[in-house]
Amino acid sequence: MLAWMPARNSEPAVSALRRGGLHPFGAGASADADSKSSAAKVKSLMRVDLSAPDTKAAYEKAVKEREEAMKKNKALNDAFNTGLQALEAKNYDAAITSLKSASEMDPKQLAVWTHLADAYILSAASKTGADQQTAYQNGLDAYGKALELSPADAGIHNNYGLALVKAKKLPEAQAELNKAAELDPTNA
């Protein structure tokens, strides 16, 4: 039986967002890594005397880096949240715009790519001709990015396979669905 499955790595992000807008991006996020390194610098500098000019300058630099990383994370979260809300409201064009923006801010976010793919695939249903094919292709490309980030995620392979069916690419769809079943035989 074919069913749309949530990608394992993106579902905690959705759950966190629904519980109150928590940060949806994992420890692999580049902005988060920048934040952690800046925070470590700030913490290590807090143990030293700030009266020395070069020490104070290093501390101020670390604080500024931390603030910039926090701004980047906020912008990323805002774009993702806006895209997710638009997707849930079935406003696919707005979802695509916001999620594309989030993907440009940090292209290593699995949740962004899977939701962007969903937005494109769902938007294709309301289009015809070349516009529909373009939407399908953009969705398939987004699933490709998601699979680059998480190649062993059966849910992504499953959803990619179902998207390929909708795009009438049946041999590729069968291969993806077989891969999903191979990766997660209990849910096949």
Side-chain angles (χ1 to χ4, degrees):
M1 174 166 83
L2 300 177
W4 203 265
M5 294 173 48
R8 280 189 222 132
N9 294 338
S10 67
E11 195 57 33
V14 174
S15 298
L17 287 168
R18 289 187 177 137
R19 285 192 310 267
L22 298 176
H23 190 296
F25 306 108
S30 61
D32 196 35
D34 294 343
S35 298
K36 287 180 182 178
S37 78
S38 295
K41 289 177 188 176
V42 169
K43 191 173 184 178
S44 70
L45 291 171
M46 291 175 76
R47 297 187 198 123
V48 295
D49 180 15
L50 293 177
S51 62
D54 51 334
T55 305
K56 184 176 180 181
Y59 173 78
E60 289 172 354
K61 180 181 178 200
V63 167
K64 185 176 181 178
E65 288 173 356
R66 172 79 174 148
E67 289 171 354
E68 289 172 7
M70 288 173 60
K71 284 179 189 174
K72 181 180 178 187
N73 278 342
K74 182 177 180 343
L76 182 60
N77 281 331
D78 289 348
F80 182 80
N81 288 335
T82 301
L84 190 60
Q85 289 169 352
L87 187 59
E88 289 174 353
K90 299 181 180 182
N91 185 350
Y92 303 123
D93 290 336
I96 289 167
T97 300
S98 294
L99 292 167
K100 274 179 68 176
S101 175
S103 74
E104 291 165 0
M105 287 180 216
D106 190 348
K108 294 183 181 179
Q109 295 302 327
L110 180 61
V112 171
W113 289 110
T114 57
H115 286 90
L116 180 59
D118 290 345
Y120 275 120
I121 298 301
L122 292 169
S123 76
S126 65
K127 300 177 190 254
T128 59
D131 290 341
Q132 184 180 53
Q133 291 308 309
T134 299
Y136 279 136
Q137 189 57 52
N138 288 338
L140 298 175
D141 292 344
Y143 273 127
K145 294 284 188 180
L147 285 170
E148 286 176 19
L149 295 171
S150 186
D153 190 315
I156 297 172
H157 282 282
N158 182 73
N159 293 351
Y160 183 41
L162 295 176
L164 286 162
V165 169
K166 289 180 180 183
K168 297 180 172 89
K169 297 184 178 193
L170 300 180
E172 296 98 328
Q174 185 174 5
E176 285 302 319
L177 293 169
N178 287 339
K179 180 73 173 176
E182 182 182 303
L183 290 168
D184 190 3
T186 59
N187 288 319

